[in-house]
Amino acid sequence: MSELLSAIDALAAEDLSPLPDARAEDDFALVRRARERLEVEFLRRLADIERRGIHARDGHVSTVSWLADTGKVAWGTARKELTTARALEEMPLTRRAVEAGDLSLSAAELLVRTREADPEAFREAEGMLVEAAEVHSMGDLQRVAGYWRQAAERAQGEDPDDQLRARRRLHASVTFLGMVRVDGDLDPETGETLLTALRAVMDAEARSGEGDDRTPPQRRADALGEICRQWLDLAPRPTVAGERPHVTVTVPVEALPADGEGGSELDHIGVVGAGTARRLACDASITRMVLAGPSEPLEVGRRTPVVSPSMRRAVVVRDRHCRFPGCDRPHT
């Protein structure tokens, strides 16, 4: 192991600037292959750690919790790595193809997920699937694996669509500084619906002809927000606690002026900046609450719109899109 670390140190100390392009490309390919070989060895040793039950010795309830704690990685990452490690123990042809450099680790992980449909059938078909993985791109391999999974599930008397739908999941959680992390797997029908809706919003923005310096991930994030906002603006929606679902921001009066400061709060996210609060308030209904102190409301006023419907129509005709500083959302 010390020799391995010494070799990595030597690579890290190498000056790359004088290398010719051909040498840099060849070296990169070798480093990539070595990285995948190391990753396969890491997974082999992780499977051995689980067999030894080392997690119990250290007081952990599972190998996943042990890996998350000792490796300082997210639980989702630890769970995925252990699942892959377990599967590769039963996939010798796939392991050898990665070790030989004939198969990328990404392709191997796709085969691991494919195997979940029917491990016994996969054992018989592994050679054929590995050969397909060696010659096809990832996109084509996904289609090959998808057809194989459908055939395997039908052979078991199961509906492939029901099997995929059963694996659907979506997680949305507040992270550092109020950012929201979204992660999940959607069934094909829901996934196609989402991609179509995102594409529709992004295409509409592209046809506007205005300059756009956002990255593609930023454009997708903004498109998802626009889809959610448009749904919340629809009239025929179910009520919750006697009113339609809406975004609520609690703003102290000192945060409303253009140069005002103060801690505003969203229901789910928590504290946000005064600028965010003012942007939300520019086209919202306001309920005034007078407090004598914390949790001591003296008066709750009626909800009133900041902008009347007639004024809003005039602004739409005049400006075409939001005029709040830094916001260019189209009118809806």
Side-chain angles (χ1 to χ4, degrees):
M1 284 297 182
S2 60
E3 294 178 356
L4 174 62
L5 294 177
S6 297
I8 294 175
D9 289 340
L11 285 173
E14 185 178 4
D15 183 8
L16 303 180
S17 56
L19 296 179
D21 290 351
R23 169 72 184 281
E25 187 176 5
D26 290 342
D27 286 358
F28 176 80
L30 288 173
V31 170
R32 181 176 59 186
R33 180 179 174 184
R35 182 187 67 177
E36 298 206 332
R37 288 286 305 274
L38 281 174
E39 183 68 20
V40 171
E41 181 60 22
F42 165 80
L43 295 171
R44 185 177 77 91
R45 291 174 183 267
L46 177 59
D48 181 63
I49 290 289
E50 185 177 44
R51 278 193 299 270
R52 294 170 183 264
I54 289 179
H55 68 275
R57 183 202 66 191
D58 292 344
H60 293 87
V61 297
S62 66
T63 301
V64 171
S65 65
W66 175 87
L67 180 59
D69 181 43
T70 59
K72 301 296 184 293
V73 299
W75 274 71
T77 301
R79 191 177 296 109
K80 175 185 175 183
E81 290 178 337
L82 183 58
T83 298
T84 304
R86 290 168 177 166
L88 285 178
E89 291 293 290
E90 306 296 329
M91 301 167 63
L93 299 180
T94 303
R95 178 192 294 277
R96 284 201 291 271
V98 177
E99 291 174 344
D102 298 328
L103 195 66
S104 70
L105 190 60
S106 295
E109 290 173 344
L110 176 57
L111 294 183
V112 166
R113 296 194 299 272
T114 303
R115 176 181 177 272
E116 295 171 357
D118 189 337
E120 291 299 323
F122 183 89
R123 182 177 292 109
E124 298 178 3
E126 183 180 8
M128 178 269 293
L129 290 171
V130 168
E131 289 180 2
E134 291 175 352
V135 299
H136 287 301
S137 66
M138 285 297 297
D140 290 339
L141 180 59
Q142 287 179 343
R143 285 191 286 274
V144 171
Y147 281 120
W148 184 89
R149 286 191 69 131
Q150 288 185 343
E153 287 165 349
R154 287 196 186 96
Q156 294 176 324
E158 300 173 346
D159 187 330
D161 292 339
D162 289 343
Q163 291 296 307
L164 284 175
R165 184 169 173 77
R167 288 192 287 270
R168 68 192 186 281
R169 63 184 181 87
L170 182 66
H171 302 289
S173 55
V174 180
T175 62
F176 185 60
L177 294 179
M179 297 293 284
V180 175
R181 181 173 181 81
V182 179
D183 177 64
D185 292 295
L186 304 180
D187 59 89
E189 180 179 351
T190 305
E192 183 70 14
T193 301
L194 174 64
L195 294 176
T196 301
L198 291 175
R199 175 56 58 187
V201 175
M202 294 168 69
D203 285 348
E205 293 174 344
R207 287 195 297 270
S208 69
E210 298 182 3
D212 192 346
D213 58 358
R214 295 173 298 170
T215 65
Q218 289 173 335
R219 294 181 63 213
R220 284 192 291 271
D222 292 345
L224 179 60
E226 187 62 31
I227 292 167
C228 294
R229 278 189 290 268
Q230 291 185 19
W231 186 88
L232 288 173
D233 285 340
L234 293 176
R237 288 186 285 109
T239 59
V240 178
E243 60 183 359
R244 292 186 301 170
H246 57 280
V247 174
T248 299
V249 55
T250 303
V251 186
V253 68
E254 58 268 18
L256 288 177
D259 57 350
E261 297 295 336
S264 304
E265 293 189 24
L266 294 170
D267 276 359
H268 299 95
I269 302 301
V271 178
V272 294
T276 298
R278 288 194 293 270
R279 185 167 59 251
L280 290 172
C282 76
D283 187 17
S285 295
I286 290 182
T287 301
R288 187 185 75 257
M289 297 183 65
V290 180
L291 304 179
S295 303
E296 296 182 38
L298 295 182
E299 178 188 355
V300 179
R302 291 183 178 182
R303 177 181 297 173
T304 57
V306 174
V307 180
S308 66
S310 59
M311 184 182 296
R312 187 180 190 279
R313 286 193 294 271
V315 171
V316 167
V317 170
R318 185 192 69 183
D319 297 330
R320 303 299 181 184
H321 58 76
C322 180
R323 300 297 295 177
F324 192 92
C327 180
D328 59 358
R329 283 178 53 207
H331 70 85
T332 55

